[in-house]
Structure formats: structure tokens, C-alpha cells
């Protein structure tokens, strides 16, 4: 079935470091791919999305490119800030998933000053 | 618009009791979803409504769980005869049909069964 695999955390980085969180997916058809972020004590928020191969989603300095050939959607940011500390979830939704999302297990990021 | 709201935010109950959670979606959204999230895991789909019709249910949704959306606006999720394994965060999300599956999540209701 459809699924998402995320790199395990937790990840700890110093401020201004480069961030990569890996996400790969398994799906039949052509899913849409998403990154959601969950700040402490808050609900999930959509960070960015891509709906077809080679699309790049971007928001708040974060980017992810939909790579069909490697079935990946890695999240990157060039220079992280303390305020980026949160849990990041990769997710997919597609023509074969009905109307539900499949989420990865989440990657906890802590940025230290 | 204040987004998706859920009540209560926290619920502690004893095993065997019934609990009910409420979700108020974004007002113009016709789709509503319930998910369950346990510690260290991503959200898992439970059920989905389009307007007042419940169109999908996960195998995770045992017969002790029931969800309603009677007027196509707010929704309730009831768990009967709670078990300790039901302890989790219950998330509600809503979306507008035709917006490429962009779901907006509420803050969740954290259930603790003692």
C-alpha cells in the first residue's frame, strides 16, 4: 500500500546550519506530497506541497522537490533558526489513497543558538 | 476565520467510560477528517466526511468508535467503553473539495484513559 518513510530523529542543529530531512514514498499512481510542521503545543500546519513530478514546494525558506525517479521529497533549509524547532511530517495523498493522508512518523528538530 | 477548533483540548477518563469530542471545521470547508496520533508516530486516518455523509472509515475504527456530522458542519467522535489503548491525540482536519487535498488541522484533543 501507499506509505511514507522519514528519516528518524531527533535532529539537533546549531543556528544557521543547513537542514535536510529525508522523505521517501511508495505509491501507485501520482500522489501529491506535503510537509507539515507541528510546533510545541500547536496543531499540524501545512508547510509546503508539490502536486506533480519536478515541482518544488517552498515556504518560509524551506524547500522540497518532488523527485519521481527517486520517489523522494526531501525537506531542506539553508540556514535554520531557533524558531524552526518543531516536529516535521512528510505526507502523501493521491488518487489511490481515497481522501486520506498517509503520514511519516515525524522528525523532531531542535535548533540551538 | 479562526481555523479548525476542537473541544475539549484534554480529556482524562477512566477505562470503560464513554467520551465524546467535538470538531468545528473552517466554515466553508465541506470535507472533514478524523485522525489519531500516538506518541512518536504520525497521524493515522480514522474517518472522513463530505458534507454530512461519512464516506470512508479506516479499519482502525473499531465498533466502539462512532463519528457523526449531522448538519454538515461540526462533527463529533464518540468512543464507547474506553480502553487504555485509546489514549492518544485525536486530530480533526478540514478541507475544501477541489483544493488538491490541502487539509487544515485543529489543535487536537488529548485523551488519557486511566
Amino acid at each position: 500500500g501507499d506509505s511514507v518513510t522519514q528519516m528518524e530523529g531527533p535532529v539537533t542543529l546549531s543556528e544557521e546550519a543547513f537542514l535536510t530531512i529525508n522523505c521517501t514514498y511508495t505509491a501507485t499512481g501520482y500522489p501529491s506530497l506535503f510537509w507539515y510542521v507541528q510546533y510545541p503545543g500547536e496543531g499540524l500546519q501545512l508547510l509546503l506541497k508539490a502536486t506533480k513530478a519536478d515541482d518544488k514546494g517552498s515556504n518560509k525558506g524551506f524547500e522540497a522537490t518532488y523527485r519521481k525517479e527517486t520517489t523522494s521529497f526531501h525537506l531542506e533549509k539553508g540556514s535554520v533558526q531557533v524558531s524552526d524547532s518543531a516536529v516535521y511530517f512528510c505526507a502523501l495523498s493521491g488518487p489511490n489513497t481515497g481522501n486520506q493522508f498517509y503520514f511519516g512518523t515525524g522528525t523532531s528538530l531542535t535548533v540551538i543558538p | 476565520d479562526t481555523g479548525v477548533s476542537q473541544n475539549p483540548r484534554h480529556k482524562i477518563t477512566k477505562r470503560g467510560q464513554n467520551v465524546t469530542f467535538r470538531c468545528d471545521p473552517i466554515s466553508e470547508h465541506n470535507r472533514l477528517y478524523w485522525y489519531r496520533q500516538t506518541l512518536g508516530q504520525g497521524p493515522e486516518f480514522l474517518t472522513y466526511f463530505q458534507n454530512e455523509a461519512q464516506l470512508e472509515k479506516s479499519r482502525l475504527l473499531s465498533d466502539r468508535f462512532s463519528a457523526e456530522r449531522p448538519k454538515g458542519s461540526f462533527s463529533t467522535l464518540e468512543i464507547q467503553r474506553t480502553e487504555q489503548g485509546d489514549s492518544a491525540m485525536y486530530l480533526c482536519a478540514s478541507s475544501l473539495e477541489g483544493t488538491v487535498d490541502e487539509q487544515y488541522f485543529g489543535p487536537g484533543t488529548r485523551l488519557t484513559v486511566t
Side-chain angles (χ1 to χ4, degrees):
Chain A
D2 293 3
S3 66
V4 170
T5 301
Q6 262 182 263
M7 69 180 281
E8 294 189 8
V11 174
T12 301
L13 294 174
S14 297
E15 208 166 19
E16 300 184 1
F18 184 85
L19 169 70
T20 299
I21 300 178
N22 290 339
C23 171
T24 57
Y25 68 91
T26 301
T28 53
Y30 301 98
S32 296
L33 300 172
F34 305 81
W35 278 100
Y36 277 81
V37 58
Q38 189 170 32
Y39 297 104
E42 299 185 16
L44 286 160
Q45 300 175 23
L46 177 65
L47 180 60
L48 54 83
K49 68 179 181 182
T51 59
K52 61 182 186 296
D54 299 326
D55 268 3
K56 179 185 284 188
S58 61
N59 186 25
K60 299 181 180 179
F62 290 90
E63 294 183 339
T65 301
Y66 189 146
R67 302 285 188 198
K68 185 172 179 294
E69 63 276 13
T70 55
T71 62
S72 65
F73 193 56
H74 304 322
L75 183 68
E76 296 182 337
K77 186 174 186 182
S79 176
V80 293
Q81 306 300 313
V82 172
S83 57
D84 294 326
S85 298
V87 181
Y88 293 82
F89 293 92
C90 186
L92 72 79
S93 175
N96 296 307
T97 69
N99 291 284
Q100 61 178 287
F101 277 26
Y102 286 91
F103 284 87
T105 54
T107 301
S108 175
L109 169 67
T110 301
V111 180
I112 54 177
Chain B
D1 192 341
T2 56
V4 178
S5 62
Q6 292 186 247
N7 289 288
R9 294 292 304 275
H10 303 275
K11 179 70 177 179
I12 300 173
T13 191
K14 292 185 177 180
R15 188 176 54 188
Q17 298 295 305
N18 299 345
V19 294
T20 300
F21 310 141
R22 176 178 170 128
C23 170
D24 287 88
I26 292 172
S27 56
E28 63 266 28
H29 285 183
N30 61 335
R31 293 181 166 181
L32 188 147
Y33 312 78
W34 285 99
Y35 291 83
R36 180 171 66 190
Q37 185 179 17
T38 54
L39 197 62
Q41 300 297 316
E44 296 175 297
F45 172 81
L46 293 178
T47 190
Y48 151 68
F49 290 85
Q50 179 156 311
N51 300 312
E52 65 276 8
Q54 187 174 19
L55 297 185
E56 288 184 43
K57 291 169 65 173
S58 165
R59 288 189 299 274
L60 293 174
L61 209 66
S62 78
D63 57 6
R64 295 185 299 104
F65 287 68
S66 62
E68 295 183 342
R69 194 183 185 198
K71 297 182 179 179
S73 57
F74 73 91
S75 175
T76 57
L77 178 68
E78 181 183 17
I79 309 174
Q80 296 182 327
R81 305 181 303 282
T82 53
E83 301 172 357
Q84 287 188 321
D86 297 331
S87 296
M89 178 76 85
Y90 289 84
L91 300 172
C92 176
S94 70
S95 71
L96 186 62
E97 187 177 1
T99 55
V100 198
D101 300 315
E102 194 167 312
Q103 297 188 10
Y104 293 83
F105 283 80
T109 295
R110 180 168 296 284
L111 173 66
T112 302
V113 181
T114 61

